Amino acid sequence: MWRKLLAVAVAAACLSLLVGSMGCGTSKPDPKQTVTDFWKAMKSKDYEKALSYMATSVDLGDLKEQLENPEPETEEIVDALFSKMDMVPESSKVEGDSATVPTKVTMPDMEKLMEKLFEVFGQLMESGMDMTSMTEERMTAMLMDKMGKMIDELPMTTKTVDIKLVWESEAWKIKTNPFEDIQKAFENMGG
């Protein structure tokens, strides 16, 4: 009798180990990989692939349009920013179909960029240049030219950002905008 009980217990233990090691197909990949793959696609300018890592609920505003159809003068600025940026996931916390990935984001100091742009505006006004007669295209081209040079000279900042993800379509998708700081800086510049 004990032998039969022992045999059943051993069989049950082996079965549970086998099922546990197979994972029954319910284990999800580490969400850090999604953040890593997203950033790799951004750096290689494969924006369609990068945006495929975003949840359907994310409102990227004009960013998606700007990435997919860049204007020549803004493409240079985006390239300059992304060439200096880095995103490194540090860990991940999964709770059901939600995950948080604390990520170190290193990028040019956007506050300093705005300060420098306001200095440029001040210098242009002091020089007596009639900015009111300039076309918007001419003003944009002039600012973009100066901004590209400024980005190269900016100090770098690093901060940890909690990137939120959601399990969607059998994959982790980013549900927060990782470029929110950059967008805010440019929105503040516009008004």
Side-chain angles (χ1 to χ4, degrees), residues 64-108:
K64 181 178 180 181
E65 176 67 26
Q66 291 167 358
L67 289 174
E68 291 175 343
N69 303 306
E71 296 173 5
E73 61 271 359
T74 55
E75 186 173 20
E76 188 177 315
I77 301 305
V78 169
D79 289 349
L81 278 172
F82 283 168
S83 72
K84 295 203 161 265
M85 285 182 68
D86 199 15
M87 294 175 80
V88 180
E90 296 183 310
S91 62
S92 63
K93 181 180 179 184
V94 176
E95 293 179 3
D97 286 345
S98 296
T100 302
V101 178
T103 303
K104 275 198 186 223
V105 177
T106 303
M107 60 189 253

Side-chain angles (χ1 to χ4, degrees), residues 1-14:
M1 170 107 161
W2 285 104
R3 281 188 178 171
K4 284 185 180 180
L5 231 77
L6 184 60
V8 169
V10 168
C14 287

Side-chain angles (χ1 to χ4, degrees), residues 158-170:
T158 300
K159 70 179 189 175
T160 300
V161 175
D162 284 341
I163 296 179
K164 305 284 185 187
L165 295 96
V166 64
W167 186 252
E168 179 179 282
S169 303
E170 300 301 311

Side-chain angles (χ1 to χ4, degrees), residues 9 25 31 54 57 59 67 70 73 88 91 108 114 124 173:
M54 303 300 288
S57 62
D59 178 14
L67 289 174
E73 61 271 359
V88 180
S91 62
M114 294 303 113
L124 290 173
K173 301 287 184 169

